[in-house]
Amino acid sequence: MSIKVDEAIWVSIPQDSREDSLKWHDGNGVQLVLHSIGFDEALYSRLTNEMLAREYYRDNFAEQGIGIVQCDLVTVSGQKAVKTIGKKIVQGQPALYIGSLAIPMSDRSFVLSLYSQEAGITGMRDTVLFSKLSSESDKLKPDPDSGKMIGWAQDPYFPKYDGPCLRNLSESEDYDNQFPNHPLTKVRSRIGELVASVEVLVREPKSNKPWWKVW
């Protein structure tokens, strides 16, 4: 069993002999890594409940300092899967956006991870849209106690959750067309293409029957 990606988009990166993953890049600032792992019982058992899958990723991402931007159940090459986008911000460093397309099956799991980081002038999307939205809406206002802007940043599925790198309003898909070169836009576009194009190749078991025996 293996995974096939669209070679018209993804260019293979030479693999180090010590690595057990496959890597590609798209020539536009996005890297793709494929991991093949054992049975992921925790995620596999959540494939029929989207909120449980989101909770799973919320907790696992938080341990790595990552916040959820988006998490949905999808179907990939006939297999149930989970599509997730997160972000990680370390003080003094550009924001890193991470896409994950996990395909957990009954005996193994494949995880396709995408990475794209801000370059050049950073924070432009947040700044432009914060200014625009705060001037247009009376729902955005500073909290008198914390100084944080109420209504700007919030987990997309768990409103009361206060974890790292909370999704903010500028990260809505509605604004991607205004910022085509932003890493979030790139990751969201590429992970959507992966959902539509990835092939899970299942090798049929060899048969001991003679070639002429068909029953």
Side-chain angles (χ1 to χ4, degrees), residues 54-89:
R54 289 166 173 170
E55 189 176 57
Y56 171 87
Y57 270 95
R58 181 200 67 184
D59 294 342
N60 281 275
F61 271 16
E63 291 180 1
Q64 304 171 63
I66 301 170
I68 287 181
V69 173
Q70 182 179 345
C71 182
D72 303 290
L73 296 181
V74 294
T75 299
V76 176
S77 190
Q79 304 287 337
K80 293 181 180 179
V82 186
K83 178 185 74 173
T84 311
I85 299 173
K87 69 172 176 178
K88 183 171 186 176
I89 300 177

PDB file of all heavy atoms in Angstrom, residues 54-89:
ATOM      1  N   ARG A  54     -11.760  17.041  15.822  1.00  0.00           N
ATOM      2  CA  ARG A  54     -11.263  18.396  16.083  1.00  0.00           C
ATOM      3  C   ARG A  54     -10.672  18.516  17.481  1.00  0.00           C
ATOM      4  O   ARG A  54      -9.637  19.165  17.686  1.00  0.00           O
ATOM      5  CB  ARG A  54     -12.400  19.398  15.887  1.00  0.00           C
ATOM      6  CG  ARG A  54     -12.810  19.570  14.431  1.00  0.00           C
ATOM      7  CD  ARG A  54     -14.126  20.296  14.267  1.00  0.00           C
ATOM      8  NE  ARG A  54     -14.400  20.578  12.857  1.00  0.00           N
ATOM      9  CZ  ARG A  54     -15.558  21.036  12.412  1.00  0.00           C
ATOM     10  NH1 ARG A  54     -16.574  21.243  13.253  1.00  0.00           N
ATOM     11  NH2 ARG A  54     -15.720  21.270  11.124  1.00  0.00           N
ATOM     12  N   GLU A  55     -11.310  17.887  18.433  1.00  0.00           N
ATOM     13  CA  GLU A  55     -10.813  17.895  19.804  1.00  0.00           C
ATOM     14  C   GLU A  55      -9.460  17.187  19.886  1.00  0.00           C
ATOM     15  O   GLU A  55      -8.543  17.637  20.581  1.00  0.00           O
ATOM     16  CB  GLU A  55     -11.823  17.214  20.713  1.00  0.00           C
ATOM     17  CG  GLU A  55     -11.527  17.346  22.195  1.00  0.00           C
ATOM     18  CD  GLU A  55     -12.642  16.725  23.029  1.00  0.00           C
ATOM     19  OE1 GLU A  55     -12.927  15.520  22.838  1.00  0.00           O
ATOM     20  OE2 GLU A  55     -13.232  17.448  23.836  1.00  0.00           O
ATOM     21  N   TYR A  56      -9.338  16.092  19.165  1.00  0.00           N
ATOM     22  CA  TYR A  56      -8.080  15.333  19.106  1.00  0.00           C
ATOM     23  C   TYR A  56      -6.951  16.222  18.586  1.00  0.00           C
ATOM     24  O   TYR A  56      -5.853  16.270  19.168  1.00  0.00           O
ATOM     25  CB  TYR A  56      -8.285  14.118  18.204  1.00  0.00           C
ATOM     26  CG  TYR A  56      -7.044  13.332  17.860  1.00  0.00           C
ATOM     27  CD1 TYR A  56      -6.594  12.313  18.692  1.00  0.00           C
ATOM     28  CD2 TYR A  56      -6.335  13.593  16.684  1.00  0.00           C
ATOM     29  CE1 TYR A  56      -5.458  11.568  18.367  1.00  0.00           C
ATOM     30  CE2 TYR A  56      -5.202  12.862  16.359  1.00  0.00           C
ATOM     31  CZ  TYR A  56      -4.767  11.856  17.203  1.00  0.00           C
ATOM     32  OH  TYR A  56      -3.649  11.139  16.871  1.00  0.00           O
ATOM     33  N   TYR A  57      -7.205  16.926  17.491  1.00  0.00           N
ATOM     34  CA  TYR A  57      -6.177  17.787  16.917  1.00  0.00           C
ATOM     35  C   TYR A  57      -5.924  19.016  17.788  1.00  0.00           C
ATOM     36  O   TYR A  57      -4.780  19.464  17.920  1.00  0.00           O
ATOM     37  CB  TYR A  57      -6.541  18.199  15.490  1.00  0.00           C
ATOM     38  CG  TYR A  57      -6.010  17.217  14.482  1.00  0.00           C
ATOM     39  CD1 TYR A  57      -6.811  16.186  14.001  1.00  0.00           C
ATOM     40  CD2 TYR A  57      -4.697  17.278  14.041  1.00  0.00           C
ATOM     41  CE1 TYR A  57      -6.314  15.262  13.096  1.00  0.00           C
ATOM     42  CE2 TYR A  57      -4.187  16.359  13.137  1.00  0.00           C
ATOM     43  CZ  TYR A  57      -5.002  15.361  12.666  1.00  0.00           C
ATOM     44  OH  TYR A  57      -4.494  14.440  11.790  1.00  0.00           O
ATOM     45  N   ARG A  58      -6.957  19.561  18.374  1.00  0.00           N
ATOM     46  CA  ARG A  58      -6.771  20.709  19.260  1.00  0.00           C
ATOM     47  C   ARG A  58      -5.773  20.366  20.362  1.00  0.00           C
ATOM     48  O   ARG A  58      -4.831  21.111  20.631  1.00  0.00           O
ATOM     49  CB  ARG A  58      -8.098  21.128  19.875  1.00  0.00           C
ATOM     50  CG  ARG A  58      -7.999  22.341  20.807  1.00  0.00           C
ATOM     51  CD  ARG A  58      -9.188  22.414  21.746  1.00  0.00           C
ATOM     52  NE  ARG A  58      -9.186  21.310  22.702  1.00  0.00           N
ATOM     53  CZ  ARG A  58     -10.146  21.083  23.593  1.00  0.00           C
ATOM     54  NH1 ARG A  58     -11.206  21.869  23.622  1.00  0.00           N
ATOM     55  NH2 ARG A  58     -10.055  20.072  24.437  1.00  0.00           N
ATOM     56  N   ASP A  59      -5.976  19.209  21.001  1.00  0.00           N
ATOM     57  CA  ASP A  59      -5.112  18.812  22.114  1.00  0.00           C
ATOM     58  C   ASP A  59      -3.700  18.470  21.650  1.00  0.00           C
ATOM     59  O   ASP A  59      -2.712  18.868  22.290  1.00  0.00           O
ATOM     60  CB  ASP A  59      -5.724  17.625  22.854  1.00  0.00           C
ATOM     61  CG  ASP A  59      -7.032  17.969  23.543  1.00  0.00           C
ATOM     62  OD1 ASP A  59      -7.301  19.180  23.735  1.00  0.00           O
ATOM     63  OD2 ASP A  59      -7.797  17.044  23.879  1.00  0.00           O
ATOM     64  N   ASN A  60      -3.588  17.738  20.548  1.00  0.00           N
ATOM     65  CA  ASN A  60      -2.263  17.354  20.057  1.00  0.00           C
ATOM     66  C   ASN A  60      -1.485  18.546  19.504  1.00  0.00           C
ATOM     67  O   ASN A  60      -0.272  18.645  19.712  1.00  0.00           O
ATOM     68  CB  ASN A  60      -2.396  16.260  18.999  1.00  0.00           C
ATOM     69  CG  ASN A  60      -2.627  14.886  19.591  1.00  0.00           C
ATOM     70  OD1 ASN A  60      -1.681  14.190  19.953  1.00  0.00           O
ATOM     71  ND2 ASN A  60      -3.879  14.494  19.742  1.00  0.00           N
ATOM     72  N   PHE A  61      -2.171  19.436  18.818  1.00  0.00           N
ATOM     73  CA  PHE A  61      -1.514  20.641  18.318  1.00  0.00           C
ATOM     74  C   PHE A  61      -1.050  21.518  19.475  1.00  0.00           C
ATOM     75  O   PHE A  61       0.044  22.090  19.445  1.00  0.00           O
ATOM     76  CB  PHE A  61      -2.463  21.421  17.422  1.00  0.00           C
ATOM     77  CG  PHE A  61      -2.427  21.018  15.967  1.00  0.00           C
ATOM     78  CD1 PHE A  61      -1.860  19.826  15.563  1.00  0.00           C
ATOM     79  CD2 PHE A  61      -2.979  21.837  14.991  1.00  0.00           C
ATOM     80  CE1 PHE A  61      -1.828  19.447  14.224  1.00  0.00           C
ATOM     81  CE2 PHE A  61      -2.952  21.482  13.644  1.00  0.00           C
ATOM     82  CZ  PHE A  61      -2.375  20.289  13.266  1.00  0.00           C
ATOM     83  N   ALA A  62      -1.891  21.663  20.495  1.00  0.00           N
ATOM     84  CA  ALA A  62      -1.563  22.534  21.622  1.00  0.00           C
ATOM     85  C   ALA A  62      -0.268  22.096  22.302  1.00  0.00           C
ATOM     86  O   ALA A  62       0.523  22.935  22.762  1.00  0.00           O
ATOM     87  CB  ALA A  62      -2.712  22.559  22.623  1.00  0.00           C
ATOM     88  N   GLU A  63      -0.032  20.793  22.375  1.00  0.00           N
ATOM     89  CA  GLU A  63       1.203  20.281  22.980  1.00  0.00           C
ATOM     90  C   GLU A  63       2.438  20.746  22.220  1.00  0.00           C
ATOM     91  O   GLU A  63       3.537  20.793  22.775  1.00  0.00           O
ATOM     92  CB  GLU A  63       1.167  18.756  23.027  1.00  0.00           C
ATOM     93  CG  GLU A  63       0.149  18.194  24.020  1.00  0.00           C
ATOM     94  CD  GLU A  63       0.140  16.679  24.036  1.00  0.00           C
ATOM     95  OE1 GLU A  63       0.949  16.075  23.286  1.00  0.00           O
ATOM     96  OE2 GLU A  63      -0.657  16.094  24.795  1.00  0.00           O
ATOM     97  N   GLN A  64       2.248  21.097  20.942  1.00  0.00           N
ATOM     98  CA  GLN A  64       3.366  21.553  20.101  1.00  0.00           C
ATOM     99  C   GLN A  64       3.347  23.072  19.896  1.00  0.00           C
ATOM    100  O   GLN A  64       4.080  23.598  19.072  1.00  0.00           O
ATOM    101  CB  GLN A  64       3.304  20.856  18.748  1.00  0.00           C
ATOM    102  CG  GLN A  64       3.285  19.339  18.833  1.00  0.00           C
ATOM    103  CD  GLN A  64       2.990  18.694  17.485  1.00  0.00           C
ATOM    104  OE1 GLN A  64       3.760  18.840  16.531  1.00  0.00           O
ATOM    105  NE2 GLN A  64       1.871  18.000  17.378  1.00  0.00           N
ATOM    106  N   GLY A  65       2.453  23.754  20.626  1.00  0.00           N
ATOM    107  CA  GLY A  65       2.349  25.201  20.490  1.00  0.00           C
ATOM    108  C   GLY A  65       1.661  25.643  19.221  1.00  0.00           C
ATOM    109  O   GLY A  65       1.877  26.753  18.734  1.00  0.00           O
ATOM    110  N   ILE A  66       0.810  24.771  18.678  1.00  0.00           N
ATOM    111  CA  ILE A  66       0.117  25.053  17.421  1.00  0.00           C
ATOM    112  C   ILE A  66      -1.368  25.270  17.691  1.00  0.00           C
ATOM    113  O   ILE A  66      -1.958  24.591  18.533  1.00  0.00           O
ATOM    114  CB  ILE A  66       0.285  23.874  16.434  1.00  0.00           C
ATOM    115  CG1 ILE A  66       1.772  23.622  16.155  1.00  0.00           C
ATOM    116  CG2 ILE A  66      -0.471  24.125  15.135  1.00  0.00           C
ATOM    117  CD1 ILE A  66       2.044  22.340  15.395  1.00  0.00           C
ATOM    118  N   GLY A  67      -1.964  26.216  17.000  1.00  0.00           N
ATOM    119  CA  GLY A  67      -3.392  26.465  17.108  1.00  0.00           C
ATOM    120  C   GLY A  67      -4.115  26.027  15.843  1.00  0.00           C
ATOM    121  O   GLY A  67      -3.562  26.097  14.744  1.00  0.00           O
ATOM    122  N   ILE A  68      -5.357  25.570  15.987  1.00  0.00           N
ATOM    123  CA  ILE A  68      -6.148  25.121  14.836  1.00  0.00           C
ATOM    124  C   ILE A  68      -6.736  26.312  14.083  1.00  0.00           C
ATOM    125  O   ILE A  68      -7.333  27.207  14.685  1.00  0.00           O
ATOM    126  CB  ILE A  68      -7.288  24.188  15.276  1.00  0.00           C
ATOM    127  CG1 ILE A  68      -6.751  22.822  15.693  1.00  0.00           C
ATOM    128  CG2 ILE A  68      -8.303  23.992  14.153  1.00  0.00           C
ATOM    129  CD1 ILE A  68      -7.825  21.840  16.120  1.00  0.00           C
ATOM    130  N   VAL A  69      -6.569  26.313  12.788  1.00  0.00           N
ATOM    131  CA  VAL A  69      -7.244  27.264  11.903  1.00  0.00           C
ATOM    132  C   VAL A  69      -8.489  26.604  11.306  1.00  0.00           C
ATOM    133  O   VAL A  69      -9.539  27.214  11.175  1.00  0.00           O
ATOM    134  CB  VAL A  69      -6.298  27.743  10.779  1.00  0.00           C
ATOM    135  CG1 VAL A  69      -7.042  28.598   9.759  1.00  0.00           C
ATOM    136  CG2 VAL A  69      -5.124  28.514  11.373  1.00  0.00           C
ATOM    137  N   GLN A  70      -8.367  25.321  10.984  1.00  0.00           N
ATOM    138  CA  GLN A  70      -9.455  24.602  10.321  1.00  0.00           C
ATOM    139  C   GLN A  70      -9.240  23.106  10.505  1.00  0.00           C
ATOM    140  O   GLN A  70      -8.111  22.622  10.486  1.00  0.00           O
ATOM    141  CB  GLN A  70      -9.447  24.955   8.831  1.00  0.00           C
ATOM    142  CG  GLN A  70     -10.524  24.341   7.987  1.00  0.00           C
ATOM    143  CD  GLN A  70     -10.419  24.796   6.522  1.00  0.00           C
ATOM    144  OE1 GLN A  70      -9.723  25.762   6.204  1.00  0.00           O
ATOM    145  NE2 GLN A  70     -11.110  24.099   5.654  1.00  0.00           N
ATOM    146  N   CYS A  71     -10.327  22.343  10.690  1.00  0.00           N
ATOM    147  CA  CYS A  71     -10.223  20.891  10.808  1.00  0.00           C
ATOM    148  C   CYS A  71     -11.534  20.268  10.347  1.00  0.00           C
ATOM    149  O   CYS A  71     -12.595  20.581  10.891  1.00  0.00           O
ATOM    150  CB  CYS A  71      -9.911  20.487  12.245  1.00  0.00           C
ATOM    151  SG  CYS A  71      -9.694  18.696  12.484  1.00  0.00           S
ATOM    152  N   ASP A  72     -11.474  19.390   9.337  1.00  0.00           N
ATOM    153  CA  ASP A  72     -12.681  18.800   8.753  1.00  0.00           C
ATOM    154  C   ASP A  72     -12.455  17.338   8.393  1.00  0.00           C
ATOM    155  O   ASP A  72     -11.345  16.937   8.022  1.00  0.00           O
ATOM    156  CB  ASP A  72     -13.082  19.555   7.480  1.00  0.00           C
ATOM    157  CG  ASP A  72     -13.305  21.037   7.726  1.00  0.00           C
ATOM    158  OD1 ASP A  72     -14.304  21.373   8.380  1.00  0.00           O
ATOM    159  OD2 ASP A  72     -12.457  21.838   7.277  1.00  0.00           O
ATOM    160  N   LEU A  73     -13.521  16.560   8.465  1.00  0.00           N
ATOM    161  CA  LEU A  73     -13.498  15.209   7.931  1.00  0.00           C
ATOM    162  C   LEU A  73     -13.707  15.273   6.428  1.00  0.00           C
ATOM    163  O   LEU A  73     -14.568  16.011   5.945  1.00  0.00           O
ATOM    164  CB  LEU A  73     -14.596  14.356   8.572  1.00  0.00           C
ATOM    165  CG  LEU A  73     -14.492  14.093  10.079  1.00  0.00           C
ATOM    166  CD1 LEU A  73     -15.659  13.220  10.531  1.00  0.00           C
ATOM    167  CD2 LEU A  73     -13.169  13.417  10.429  1.00  0.00           C
ATOM    168  N   VAL A  74     -12.918  14.498   5.688  1.00  0.00           N
ATOM    169  CA  VAL A  74     -13.009  14.480   4.224  1.00  0.00           C
ATOM    170  C   VAL A  74     -12.863  13.032   3.745  1.00  0.00           C
ATOM    171  O   VAL A  74     -12.601  12.124   4.535  1.00  0.00           O
ATOM    172  CB  VAL A  74     -11.911  15.361   3.574  1.00  0.00           C
ATOM    173  CG1 VAL A  74     -12.120  16.825   3.914  1.00  0.00           C
ATOM    174  CG2 VAL A  74     -10.516  14.899   4.016  1.00  0.00           C
ATOM    175  N   THR A  75     -13.022  12.845   2.447  1.00  0.00           N
ATOM    176  CA  THR A  75     -12.788  11.543   1.834  1.00  0.00           C
ATOM    177  C   THR A  75     -11.658  11.681   0.813  1.00  0.00           C
ATOM    178  O   THR A  75     -11.693  12.564  -0.045  1.00  0.00           O
ATOM    179  CB  THR A  75     -14.051  11.014   1.135  1.00  0.00           C
ATOM    180  OG1 THR A  75     -15.095  10.874   2.116  1.00  0.00           O
ATOM    181  CG2 THR A  75     -13.791   9.659   0.498  1.00  0.00           C
ATOM    182  N   VAL A  76     -10.654  10.816   0.932  1.00  0.00           N
ATOM    183  CA  VAL A  76      -9.483  10.858   0.048  1.00  0.00           C
ATOM    184  C   VAL A  76      -9.316   9.498  -0.610  1.00  0.00           C
ATOM    185  O   VAL A  76      -9.108   8.490   0.077  1.00  0.00           O
ATOM    186  CB  VAL A  76      -8.209  11.221   0.841  1.00  0.00           C
ATOM    187  CG1 VAL A  76      -6.988  11.155  -0.064  1.00  0.00           C
ATOM    188  CG2 VAL A  76      -8.339  12.597   1.468  1.00  0.00           C
ATOM    189  N   SER A  77      -9.444   9.449  -1.916  1.00  0.00           N
ATOM    190  CA  SER A  77      -9.271   8.205  -2.654  1.00  0.00           C
ATOM    191  C   SER A  77     -10.115   7.085  -2.062  1.00  0.00           C
ATOM    192  O   SER A  77      -9.678   5.949  -1.932  1.00  0.00           O
ATOM    193  CB  SER A  77      -7.777   7.816  -2.656  1.00  0.00           C
ATOM    194  OG  SER A  77      -7.523   6.755  -3.544  1.00  0.00           O
ATOM    195  N   GLY A  78     -11.343   7.434  -1.678  1.00  0.00           N
ATOM    196  CA  GLY A  78     -12.266   6.456  -1.132  1.00  0.00           C
ATOM    197  C   GLY A  78     -12.068   6.139   0.342  1.00  0.00           C
ATOM    198  O   GLY A  78     -12.809   5.338   0.905  1.00  0.00           O
ATOM    199  N   GLN A  79     -11.078   6.784   0.969  1.00  0.00           N
ATOM    200  CA  GLN A  79     -10.785   6.535   2.381  1.00  0.00           C
ATOM    201  C   GLN A  79     -11.203   7.741   3.226  1.00  0.00           C
ATOM    202  O   GLN A  79     -11.038   8.888   2.812  1.00  0.00           O
ATOM    203  CB  GLN A  79      -9.278   6.296   2.582  1.00  0.00           C
ATOM    204  CG  GLN A  79      -8.691   5.181   1.744  1.00  0.00           C
ATOM    205  CD  GLN A  79      -9.101   3.814   2.244  1.00  0.00           C
ATOM    206  OE1 GLN A  79      -9.458   3.641   3.398  1.00  0.00           O
ATOM    207  NE2 GLN A  79      -9.031   2.827   1.366  1.00  0.00           N
ATOM    208  N   LYS A  80     -11.730   7.471   4.423  1.00  0.00           N
ATOM    209  CA  LYS A  80     -12.026   8.563   5.348  1.00  0.00           C
ATOM    210  C   LYS A  80     -10.719   9.177   5.834  1.00  0.00           C
ATOM    211  O   LYS A  80      -9.745   8.463   6.102  1.00  0.00           O
ATOM    212  CB  LYS A  80     -12.837   8.053   6.531  1.00  0.00           C
ATOM    213  CG  LYS A  80     -14.242   7.599   6.170  1.00  0.00           C
ATOM    214  CD  LYS A  80     -14.995   7.123   7.397  1.00  0.00           C
ATOM    215  CE  LYS A  80     -16.414   6.678   7.030  1.00  0.00           C
ATOM    216  NZ  LYS A  80     -17.158   6.185   8.225  1.00  0.00           N
ATOM    217  N   ALA A  81     -10.707  10.512   5.956  1.00  0.00           N
ATOM    218  CA  ALA A  81      -9.481  11.208   6.325  1.00  0.00           C
ATOM    219  C   ALA A  81      -9.819  12.473   7.108  1.00  0.00           C
ATOM    220  O   ALA A  81     -10.981  12.874   7.204  1.00  0.00           O
ATOM    221  CB  ALA A  81      -8.675  11.547   5.068  1.00  0.00           C
ATOM    222  N   VAL A  82      -8.785  13.099   7.649  1.00  0.00           N
ATOM    223  CA  VAL A  82      -8.957  14.350   8.388  1.00  0.00           C
ATOM    224  C   VAL A  82      -8.027  15.402   7.793  1.00  0.00           C
ATOM    225  O   VAL A  82      -6.813  15.188   7.695  1.00  0.00           O
ATOM    226  CB  VAL A  82      -8.645  14.177   9.894  1.00  0.00           C
ATOM    227  CG1 VAL A  82      -8.976  15.473  10.636  1.00  0.00           C
ATOM    228  CG2 VAL A  82      -9.431  13.017  10.494  1.00  0.00           C
ATOM    229  N   LYS A  83      -8.623  16.512   7.391  1.00  0.00           N
ATOM    230  CA  LYS A  83      -7.865  17.641   6.836  1.00  0.00           C
ATOM    231  C   LYS A  83      -7.772  18.731   7.901  1.00  0.00           C
ATOM    232  O   LYS A  83      -8.798  19.209   8.392  1.00  0.00           O
ATOM    233  CB  LYS A  83      -8.575  18.183   5.589  1.00  0.00           C
ATOM    234  CG  LYS A  83      -7.894  19.396   4.966  1.00  0.00           C
ATOM    235  CD  LYS A  83      -8.709  19.963   3.807  1.00  0.00           C
ATOM    236  CE  LYS A  83      -9.936  20.710   4.301  1.00  0.00           C
ATOM    237  NZ  LYS A  83     -10.646  21.407   3.194  1.00  0.00           N
ATOM    238  N   THR A  84      -6.560  19.128   8.242  1.00  0.00           N
ATOM    239  CA  THR A  84      -6.370  20.107   9.303  1.00  0.00           C
ATOM    240  C   THR A  84      -5.348  21.155   8.889  1.00  0.00           C
ATOM    241  O   THR A  84      -4.362  20.839   8.222  1.00  0.00           O
ATOM    242  CB  THR A  84      -5.878  19.421  10.596  1.00  0.00           C
ATOM    243  OG1 THR A  84      -6.702  18.304  10.889  1.00  0.00           O
ATOM    244  CG2 THR A  84      -5.911  20.380  11.768  1.00  0.00           C
ATOM    245  N   ILE A  85      -5.595  22.397   9.276  1.00  0.00           N
ATOM    246  CA  ILE A  85      -4.625  23.477   9.091  1.00  0.00           C
ATOM    247  C   ILE A  85      -4.390  24.127  10.450  1.00  0.00           C
ATOM    248  O   ILE A  85      -5.338  24.405  11.191  1.00  0.00           O
ATOM    249  CB  ILE A  85      -5.120  24.529   8.088  1.00  0.00           C
ATOM    250  CG1 ILE A  85      -5.350  23.895   6.711  1.00  0.00           C
ATOM    251  CG2 ILE A  85      -4.115  25.679   7.971  1.00  0.00           C
ATOM    252  CD1 ILE A  85      -5.994  24.826   5.705  1.00  0.00           C
ATOM    253  N   GLY A  86      -3.128  24.337  10.768  1.00  0.00           N
ATOM    254  CA  GLY A  86      -2.780  24.986  12.025  1.00  0.00           C
ATOM    255  C   GLY A  86      -1.715  26.046  11.806  1.00  0.00           C
ATOM    256  O   GLY A  86      -1.160  26.174  10.712  1.00  0.00           O
ATOM    257  N   LYS A  87      -1.427  26.815  12.858  1.00  0.00           N
ATOM    258  CA  LYS A  87      -0.360  27.813  12.771  1.00  0.00           C
ATOM    259  C   LYS A  87       0.461  27.788  14.050  1.00  0.00           C
ATOM    260  O   LYS A  87      -0.041  27.455  15.132  1.00  0.00           O
ATOM    261  CB  LYS A  87      -0.919  29.215  12.534  1.00  0.00           C
ATOM    262  CG  LYS A  87      -1.681  29.805  13.714  1.00  0.00           C
ATOM    263  CD  LYS A  87      -2.024  31.268  13.477  1.00  0.00           C
ATOM    264  CE  LYS A  87      -2.877  31.819  14.626  1.00  0.00           C
ATOM    265  NZ  LYS A  87      -3.184  33.242  14.459  1.00  0.00           N
ATOM    266  N   LYS A  88       1.722  28.123  13.884  1.00  0.00           N
ATOM    267  CA  LYS A  88       2.622  28.203  15.031  1.00  0.00           C
ATOM    268  C   LYS A  88       3.397  29.502  14.949  1.00  0.00           C
ATOM    269  O   LYS A  88       3.985  29.820  13.907  1.00  0.00           O
ATOM    270  CB  LYS A  88       3.585  27.016  15.053  1.00  0.00           C
ATOM    271  CG  LYS A  88       4.495  27.005  16.278  1.00  0.00           C
ATOM    272  CD  LYS A  88       5.283  25.712  16.372  1.00  0.00           C
ATOM    273  CE  LYS A  88       6.078  25.664  17.672  1.00  0.00           C
ATOM    274  NZ  LYS A  88       6.788  24.369  17.835  1.00  0.00           N
ATOM    275  N   ILE A  89       3.370  30.248  16.038  1.00  0.00           N
ATOM    276  CA  ILE A  89       4.101  31.511  16.097  1.00  0.00           C
ATOM    277  C   ILE A  89       5.038  31.477  17.283  1.00  0.00           C
ATOM    278  O   ILE A  89       4.612  31.304  18.429  1.00  0.00           O
ATOM    279  CB  ILE A  89       3.148  32.711  16.210  1.00  0.00           C
ATOM    280  CG1 ILE A  89       2.204  32.764  15.001  1.00  0.00           C
ATOM    281  CG2 ILE A  89       3.945  34.010  16.313  1.00  0.00           C
ATOM    282  CD1 ILE A  89       1.180  33.881  15.074  1.00  0.00           C
TER     283      ILE A  89
END
